[in-house]
Amino acid sequence: NIPGEELKGTIDSLTFLRSVNLGQPVKLGSKVVVIGGGYTAIDSARTAIRLGAQQVRILYRRTAEEMPASQAERQAAIEEGVEIMYLVSPVKIIGRDGKVESIECRRMRLGEPDESGRRRPIPIEGSEFMIEADTVITAIGQLPDLTALNGEIELANNGKTLIVDPVTLTTNI
């Protein structure tokens, strides 16, 4: 939800990964920025590298310790050529002629823990800087669409986690 997400060259990670996995053509620029810190962000960044992007950066607003993706996943991405920028948050995507050209970012510092238990990122005033980009992949706040289940399935973690049997992995329906 930042200005510029409507620009050509911005794509959400699930659409991007689905298209790649279905063998559909995906147009990427040479300078890709992925916004997020979970497994989907890592998958998107590594996929962009494999598709030939020359520079791929992940922007994550907290430190590696708070990042949802595991250390092994982060390390594998780095070994493939992905740069991870910690304590950086996007402010807006900037374009020219309706196409992504760069992304304005702000440095962050960590405050007290939030409801997730991770330390809350706090913007550092006056720390804004620009990153050139021709593709922005957003990989934040991904949740499954469970409307087809008509509210019959048991959920935990504020509706973010399916409750399953630990041995069989079956749900209540």
Side-chain angles (χ1 to χ4, degrees), residues 58-112:
I58 293 176
L59 306 182
Y60 183 59
R61 62 190 185 141
R62 292 181 167 105
T63 65
E65 290 75 35
E66 288 85 18
M67 197 171 192
S70 70
Q71 200 279 328
E73 287 286 323
R74 294 190 308 266
Q75 187 58 41
I78 291 167
E79 288 172 8
E80 281 192 67
V82 174
E83 178 186 352
I84 303 176
M85 299 179 72
Y86 298 104
L87 294 169
V88 171
S89 184
V91 175
K92 64 182 169 184
I93 301 168
I94 298 166
R96 179 180 296 177
D97 299 323
K99 174 84 174 91
V100 172
E101 186 176 73
S102 61
I103 185 165
E104 181 181 332
C105 302
R106 179 180 294 139
R107 301 224 181 263
M108 309 296 277
R109 66 179 176 80
L110 294 181
E112 295 300 315

Side-chain angles (χ1 to χ4, degrees), residues 2-122:
I2 61 172
E5 281 187 279
E6 75 286 349
L7 292 168
K8 185 175 180 185
T10 301
I11 186 170
D12 74 271
S13 58
L14 295 182
T15 299
F16 169 66
L17 292 171
R18 182 183 306 111
S19 295
V20 171
N21 282 307
L22 291 175
Q24 298 170 342
V26 176
K27 279 190 123 177
L28 282 183
S30 61
K31 296 179 181 179
V32 177
V33 172
V34 179
I35 302 169
Y39 290 102
T40 305
I42 297 286
D43 290 348
S44 295
R46 293 176 75 184
T47 300
I49 286 279
R50 293 170 190 171
L51 290 175
Q54 294 173 3
Q55 181 182 65
V56 177
R57 292 180 171 144
I58 293 176
L59 306 182
Y60 183 59
R61 62 190 185 141
R62 292 181 167 105
T63 65
E65 290 75 35
E66 288 85 18
M67 197 171 192
S70 70
Q71 200 279 328
E73 287 286 323
R74 294 190 308 266
Q75 187 58 41
I78 291 167
E79 288 172 8
E80 281 192 67
V82 174
E83 178 186 352
I84 303 176
M85 299 179 72
Y86 298 104
L87 294 169
V88 171
S89 184
V91 175
K92 64 182 169 184
I93 301 168
I94 298 166
R96 179 180 296 177
D97 299 323
K99 174 84 174 91
V100 172
E101 186 176 73
S102 61
I103 185 165
E104 181 181 332
C105 302
R106 179 180 294 139
R107 301 224 181 263
M108 309 296 277
R109 66 179 176 80
L110 294 181
E112 295 300 315
D114 62 15
E115 60 279 350
S116 73
R118 296 177 297 167
R119 293 175 62 199
R120 181 183 313 276
I122 300 169

Side-chain angles (χ1 to χ4, degrees), residues 101-158:
E101 186 176 73
S102 61
I103 185 165
E104 181 181 332
C105 302
R106 179 180 294 139
R107 301 224 181 263
M108 309 296 277
R109 66 179 176 80
L110 294 181
E112 295 300 315
D114 62 15
E115 60 279 350
S116 73
R118 296 177 297 167
R119 293 175 62 199
R120 181 183 313 276
I122 300 169
I124 298 173
E125 293 300 320
S127 66
E128 292 78 10
F129 64 98
M130 302 295 285
I131 296 175
E132 285 185 40
D134 44 28
T135 304
V136 175
I137 300 173
T138 58
I140 57 171
Q142 306 293 331
L143 294 173
D145 179 0
L146 302 175
T147 54
L149 300 175
N150 298 319
E152 296 177 23
I153 197 155
E154 293 179 21
L155 301 172
N157 193 20
N158 291 324

